[in-house]
Amino acid sequence: MLCATMSSEVQASGATPVVSPTPGQGHVVSVRGSVVDGRFEVGLPPVRAILRARAAGDIAIEVLSQLDRHHVRGVALNATEGLARGDELRDTGRPLQAPVGPAILSRMFDVFGQPIDRAGPLGEVQWRSVHAAPPPLVRRSTETTVFETGIKVIDLLAPLERGGKAGLFGGAGVGKTVLLTEMIHNIANRQHGASIFCGIGERSREGEELYRDMKASGVLDDMVMVFGQMNEPPGCRFRVGHAALTMAEYFRDDERKDVLLLMDNIFRFIQAGSEVSGLMGQMPSRLGYQPTMETELAELEERIASTDNGAITAIQAVYVPADDFTDPAAVHTFSHLSASIALSRKRAAEGLFPAVDPLNSNSRMLTPGNVGAHHYAIAREVRRTLAEYEELKDIIAMLGVEQLSATDRRTVFRARRLERYLTQPFFTTAAFTGLDGQYVPLSRTLADCERILGDALEDVAESAFYMLGTLPDGPLQAR
C-alpha cells in the first residue's frame, strides 16, 4: 500500500521514475590502448568473461581483473578505435570460445573462431571455452613411443615422443617455419590423424603461402589453421594458442585421433603476454618479461599430453632473441620439452639444410630403453664423431688436415660425410631448390649411417652425400 502511494505521488509530481540497473549491463570508464575499464552496478563480470562493446563495432574485451565491487579491467582482443567513455558494455556470460567438430577441418580461423579463408559459411559445430584444465594424471598415458618424422637428422639424433613436446630453437632466418611445414607434409601423407597449425603473431604473407602450399599438396583436408596475425592486438595473439589447443583436444578426446599441433612461434605467445602484462601495469621481471611468464606458459603447455583416448604431439618453433639460449623465454620453454631441436646459423650459412645443430639438439627419448640398443649406439657414435671433428677444426684451420694423425684424419673424413648425409631435400622447398623431396624411414637412416661410420664409402667424394635421401646400393654420383 505504501509503495503504491509513493508511486502515485511520483507520477503526480511528474518526476522521472528511477530505473533499476540491469545485471550484466555496464559502461566504459576509461580506454588506454588495448586496456579497457568498465563499471557494472549489478552483476560484476567474472575474470575471463568476454564483454562486448557494440557501439564501436562489436569490440570484444576479456576481463583480466576485478578492481573493486563495481569495476573490472580487461584487454581488448581487437582494435579499440572508436571506443569511448560512456559506451555501453554487455557481459556475454561466457569466456572466449572456439568451434570444434568435423566441419572445422580444411578451414582457417581467427582467434574468435570465425573463418578467414573465404571458403563459405562454417558447417555445424560446437563451441567450447578456450580455457580448460589439463587432463588428470589418472588419464595420462605412460606408454613411450617414437614419433617418426621422415627427417634424418631429427629421427636419428633428437627423436620425437608421441604425445610429447618438441621445440625448434633458432634465431630469425634459420629455417624454423620451413621445418614445420615439412613435418606437416610428411605426417599428413604418412600417418592418419589431424594436424592443427597455430600461427601466433604470424606474418600475413606466411599464412597465405602456407595455406596455398598445404592446399596444393593435398594435406589441407586433414588440417585446421588458426592465426593471430602480427598486426593484431596483444590480447588476440595471447589467446590464439588456447583456441588452437581447444580444437586439438576435441580431436584427441572426442574423435580419438592422434593430433599434431604445430605452433609458430611460442616466443610470440610469451611476447604477447609481456605486452598484456605491461598494459595491465604489472612490474616487469628479469629482462623486462612479465612476472607471470612461467605460470602462463605452464597453463598452455600442460594441456598438451597423451591420454587413453589419443595423443597431442606438439612441435613448437621458438625464436631465440639474439641467438642467446640463456634468455628467460628460451629457458622456461626448455623445461616443458621432451626434445629440443636447435637450429644453427653457422650451418645455414654453410648450406647444410635442415640447419639442425647435431651437438646441441637432444631428446629424452634417445635411450636404449626407448629407441633400442642399435639406434642408441649409432646415434652415440655419430654424435661422438661430429664432436671430435668440432674439436679438430681449430687445428685444421691453423695447420691443415695433413698435419693430423691417421686416426684423426679418418674421423674428419667420416664427420664431413655425415654432415652432408644429414642434409635432406624437402618437399616444401622443391620449387626453390629443383630437388624432389625425400621422406627417409628411420631404418634406412640407421643403415646408411652405419655404412659411413664403417668406412664402406671412404673412396666416394664428400659432395656425393649432399642433399640426397638414402644412399643407393650402387655407385654415388656427386651433385
Side-chain angles (χ1 to χ4, degrees), residues 248-292:
E249 288 171 334
Y250 163 80
F251 288 109
R252 179 193 65 190
D253 299 334
D254 293 44
E255 299 285 337
R256 295 179 175 267
K257 290 183 177 180
D258 284 352
V259 184
L260 178 65
L261 174 64
L262 300 115
M263 307 182 82
D264 187 9
N265 82 54
I266 201 67
F267 173 76
R268 294 199 189 109
F269 166 76
I270 295 173
Q271 202 172 37
S274 179
E275 290 184 51
V276 170
S277 175
L279 289 169
M280 295 294 291
Q282 293 181 339
M283 184 71 69
S285 182
R286 183 183 167 207
L287 297 185
Y289 287 106
Q290 65 270 38
T292 55

Side-chain angles (χ1 to χ4, degrees), residues 1 7 12 18 84 87 114 127 132 139 148 168 170 183 186 244 253 258 262 307 311 315 334 352 369 405 416 447 465:
M1 188 67 182
S7 176
V18 178
D87 284 352
Q114 301 301 318
W127 291 85
R139 284 194 53 213
E148 189 173 300
L168 288 178
M183 289 183 184
N186 289 354
D253 299 334
D258 284 352
L262 300 115
T307 69
I315 302 173
F334 264 121
L352 300 174
S405 65
R416 290 178 65 85
F465 294 84

Side-chain angles (χ1 to χ4, degrees), residues 1-13:
M1 188 67 182
L2 179 61
C3 293
T5 304
M6 293 178 62
S7 176
S8 61
E9 290 176 354
V10 168
Q11 293 177 2
S13 64

Side-chain angles (χ1 to χ4, degrees), residues 411-470:
T411 298
V412 170
F413 296 146
R414 286 177 191 160
R416 290 178 65 85
R417 285 170 172 78
L418 284 169
E419 278 188 337
R420 282 148 183 79
Y421 171 74
L422 292 177
T423 62
Q424 186 171 343
F426 282 174
F427 293 95
T428 53
T429 58
F432 306 101
T433 63
L435 302 174
D436 294 333
Q438 298 287 332
Y439 180 99
V440 183
L442 176 59
S443 57
R444 284 304 302 268
T445 302
L446 296 176
D448 290 346
C449 288
E450 201 168 17
R451 291 173 67 190
I452 297 172
L453 291 170
D455 294 331
L457 302 166
E458 60 181 347
D459 296 329
V460 181
E462 295 171 0
S463 58
F465 294 84
Y466 181 70
M467 281 294 171
L468 81 168
T470 58

Side-chain angles (χ1 to χ4, degrees), residues 104-117:
I104 69 173
L105 288 171
S106 77
R107 302 302 301 268
M108 181 191 290
F109 298 94
D110 61 13
V111 70
F112 302 106
Q114 301 301 318
I116 56 175
D117 52 7

